Amino acid sequence: MEAVHAKPGPIERISVRNLSVDYHGIVALHDVSLQVQASSLCGLVGMNGAGKSTLFKALMGFVRPSCGSIVIDGLPLRQARRSQAVAYVPQMESVDWNFPVNVGNVVMMGRYGGMNLLRIPRPRDHRAVRKSLERVDLWSLRDRQIGELSGGQRKRAFLARALAQGASVLLLDEPFAGVDIRTEKLMIQLFEQFRAEGRTLLISTHDFSHVRGFCDQVVLINKTVMAYGDTSEVFTEENLARTFSTIPPHDLALPVEDEVWLGEA
Ligand SMILES: Nc1ncnc2c1ncn2[C@@H]1O[C@H](COP(=O)(O)OP(=O)(O)OP(=O)(O)O)[C@@H](O)[C@H]1O
Ligand SMILES: [Mg+2]
């Protein structure tokens, strides 16, 4: 099965080439290549375990690829991270909510990269935090402990942190999971504003209506990229069927292990 690849866009904000990641020898991503253009809302779609969160973690440098390269905003990953070009809103299950920190401080963390080692916020850092919290409608909850927020409020707090950072690339892992319709609408409006500001968003979602509704590009993934490109061309029944079939193509090519006898001789 051939992956359907779009032509590279005029300005690539995210460029991944031949990326593979394994966890203790078990393949999570295999030979992933994709480009996401500037000013784009790009959906990331695949079944549970398809490697979506692993791709985000690789794009943040949290997992070490076994091979491949990542370029963000024209910079190798390490430099892109240093220049605060990329921000990440994790899948909420992977966050420690007992961490004793209030909402305002969570958002201020987005400013740390631009501060000196003492991390004393300057007036412009306070202004950026306030503006970000206002944009996600959370300013009134700035003094609450993060663990005391509802699920949807927590997501908005992390979004505000990404905003305060001023990143041009936002990686959002299932931002809509468990949020109510009002928050969902607020988020979609925000995402569209981010695109208008020239930012690039990669958004994983299990809701196909989001992809059809507001994503201009989409990546279909099943350990490897099954198809990617403009939503209108790529988000087809046929490509979805290929993506959601249980056996990714490269697994078929893996060598079969020798049979091992574990019983008593
Ligand atoms: N830390 C880890 N150690 C070992 N295996 C892992 C680890 N994290 C993920 N995996 C495995 O890697 C594969 C991809 O997981 P990943 O979390 O990237 O999937 P996903 O597409 O985000 O799924 P979901 O839709 O459920 O969030 C899965 O088989 C998972 O069990
Ligand atoms: Mg995930």
mmCIF file of all heavy atoms in Angstrom, residues 35 42-43 58-59 65 68 74 138 143 187 198 202 205 256 259:
data_model
loop_
_atom_site.group_PDB
_atom_site.id
_atom_site.type_symbol
_atom_site.label_atom_id
_atom_site.label_comp_id
_atom_site.label_asym_id
_atom_site.label_seq_id
_atom_site.Cartn_x
_atom_site.Cartn_y
_atom_site.Cartn_z
ATOM 1 N N GLN A 35 4.935 17.000 5.715
ATOM 2 C CA GLN A 35 5.196 18.435 5.823
ATOM 3 C C GLN A 35 3.883 19.145 6.130
ATOM 4 O O GLN A 35 2.861 18.803 5.545
ATOM 5 C CB GLN A 35 5.737 19.018 4.510
ATOM 6 C CG GLN A 35 7.222 18.805 4.297
ATOM 7 C CD GLN A 35 7.502 17.480 3.628
ATOM 8 O OE1 GLN A 35 6.846 17.123 2.669
ATOM 9 N NE2 GLN A 35 8.462 16.728 4.149
ATOM 10 N N CYS A 42 -3.971 21.540 10.775
ATOM 11 C CA CYS A 42 -3.769 20.191 10.244
ATOM 12 C C CYS A 42 -4.267 19.165 11.253
ATOM 13 O O CYS A 42 -3.812 19.148 12.399
ATOM 14 C CB CYS A 42 -2.279 19.986 9.945
ATOM 15 S SG CYS A 42 -1.922 18.368 9.260
ATOM 16 N N GLY A 43 -5.194 18.332 10.838
ATOM 17 C CA GLY A 43 -5.700 17.268 11.704
ATOM 18 C C GLY A 43 -4.753 16.072 11.687
ATOM 19 O O GLY A 43 -4.083 15.810 10.691
ATOM 20 N N ALA A 58 7.812 13.067 19.779
ATOM 21 C CA ALA A 58 9.023 13.148 18.942
ATOM 22 C C ALA A 58 9.228 14.587 18.458
ATOM 23 O O ALA A 58 10.356 15.096 18.448
ATOM 24 C CB ALA A 58 8.910 12.191 17.755
ATOM 25 N N LEU A 59 8.128 15.264 18.096
ATOM 26 C CA LEU A 59 8.231 16.656 17.621
ATOM 27 C C LEU A 59 8.697 17.588 18.745
ATOM 28 O O LEU A 59 9.207 18.672 18.485
ATOM 29 C CB LEU A 59 6.885 17.140 17.068
ATOM 30 C CG LEU A 59 6.460 16.540 15.724
ATOM 31 C CD1 LEU A 59 5.005 16.869 15.407
ATOM 32 C CD2 LEU A 59 7.354 17.034 14.594
ATOM 33 N N PRO A 65 14.032 9.384 18.464
ATOM 34 C CA PRO A 65 13.737 8.535 17.298
ATOM 35 C C PRO A 65 14.871 7.546 17.043
ATOM 36 O O PRO A 65 16.025 7.840 17.354
ATOM 37 C CB PRO A 65 13.654 9.544 16.141
ATOM 38 C CG PRO A 65 13.626 10.892 16.760
ATOM 39 C CD PRO A 65 14.245 10.777 18.112
ATOM 40 N N GLY A 68 15.613 9.176 11.381
ATOM 41 C CA GLY A 68 14.800 10.231 10.781
ATOM 42 C C GLY A 68 15.183 11.621 11.266
ATOM 43 O O GLY A 68 16.028 11.763 12.151
ATOM 44 N N GLY A 74 12.028 25.760 9.891
ATOM 45 C CA GLY A 74 13.323 25.826 9.213
ATOM 46 C C GLY A 74 14.505 25.513 10.109
ATOM 47 O O GLY A 74 15.658 25.582 9.677
ATOM 48 N N LEU A 138 -10.223 32.542 30.966
ATOM 49 C CA LEU A 138 -9.871 31.945 32.259
ATOM 50 C C LEU A 138 -9.238 32.944 33.223
ATOM 51 O O LEU A 138 -8.740 32.541 34.272
ATOM 52 C CB LEU A 138 -8.854 30.798 32.054
ATOM 53 C CG LEU A 138 -9.346 29.398 31.798
ATOM 54 C CD1 LEU A 138 -8.176 28.421 31.902
ATOM 55 C CD2 LEU A 138 -10.450 28.962 32.759
ATOM 56 N N ASP A 143 -5.984 32.329 40.002
ATOM 57 C CA ASP A 143 -5.370 31.957 41.285
ATOM 58 C C ASP A 143 -5.736 30.554 41.745
ATOM 59 O O ASP A 143 -5.266 30.099 42.784
ATOM 60 C CB ASP A 143 -5.766 32.978 42.364
ATOM 61 C CG ASP A 143 -5.181 34.349 42.072
ATOM 62 O OD1 ASP A 143 -4.047 34.388 41.546
ATOM 63 O OD2 ASP A 143 -5.861 35.362 42.317
ATOM 64 N N MET A 187 -12.680 26.983 21.413
ATOM 65 C CA MET A 187 -11.381 26.489 20.933
ATOM 66 C C MET A 187 -11.279 26.600 19.409
ATOM 67 O O MET A 187 -10.252 27.029 18.888
ATOM 68 C CB MET A 187 -11.190 25.034 21.341
ATOM 69 C CG MET A 187 -10.800 24.869 22.780
ATOM 70 S SD MET A 187 -10.579 23.116 23.070
ATOM 71 C CE MET A 187 -9.731 23.142 24.619
ATOM 72 N N GLY A 198 -1.034 33.418 11.362
ATOM 73 C CA GLY A 198 0.116 32.798 10.695
ATOM 74 C C GLY A 198 0.678 31.590 11.419
ATOM 75 O O GLY A 198 1.704 31.034 11.038
ATOM 76 N N LEU A 202 -1.061 21.482 14.655
ATOM 77 C CA LEU A 202 -1.268 20.060 14.396
ATOM 78 C C LEU A 202 -2.150 19.549 15.539
ATOM 79 O O LEU A 202 -1.780 19.674 16.714
ATOM 80 C CB LEU A 202 0.076 19.324 14.353
ATOM 81 C CG LEU A 202 0.040 17.841 14.007
ATOM 82 C CD1 LEU A 202 -0.514 17.609 12.606
ATOM 83 C CD2 LEU A 202 1.452 17.226 14.100
ATOM 84 N N THR A 205 -7.339 14.322 16.766
ATOM 85 C CA THR A 205 -8.753 14.231 17.146
ATOM 86 C C THR A 205 -9.342 12.906 16.672
ATOM 87 O O THR A 205 -8.893 12.341 15.675
ATOM 88 C CB THR A 205 -9.569 15.410 16.554
ATOM 89 O OG1 THR A 205 -10.936 15.269 16.932
ATOM 90 C CG2 THR A 205 -9.480 15.485 15.045
ATOM 91 N N VAL A 256 9.227 -12.978 10.924
ATOM 92 C CA VAL A 256 8.532 -13.782 11.925
ATOM 93 C C VAL A 256 9.563 -14.333 12.904
ATOM 94 O O VAL A 256 10.620 -14.821 12.501
ATOM 95 C CB VAL A 256 7.770 -14.943 11.237
ATOM 96 C CG1 VAL A 256 7.078 -15.818 12.266
ATOM 97 C CG2 VAL A 256 6.776 -14.387 10.231
ATOM 98 N N GLU A 259 10.009 -19.813 16.516
ATOM 99 C CA GLU A 259 9.153 -20.332 17.581
ATOM 100 C C GLU A 259 10.008 -20.735 18.787
ATOM 101 O O GLU A 259 11.085 -21.314 18.632
ATOM 102 C CB GLU A 259 8.408 -21.552 17.042
ATOM 103 C CG GLU A 259 7.056 -21.708 17.689
ATOM 104 C CD GLU A 259 6.273 -22.819 17.025
ATOM 105 O OE1 GLU A 259 5.986 -22.685 15.823
ATOM 106 O OE2 GLU A 259 5.988 -23.803 17.718
#
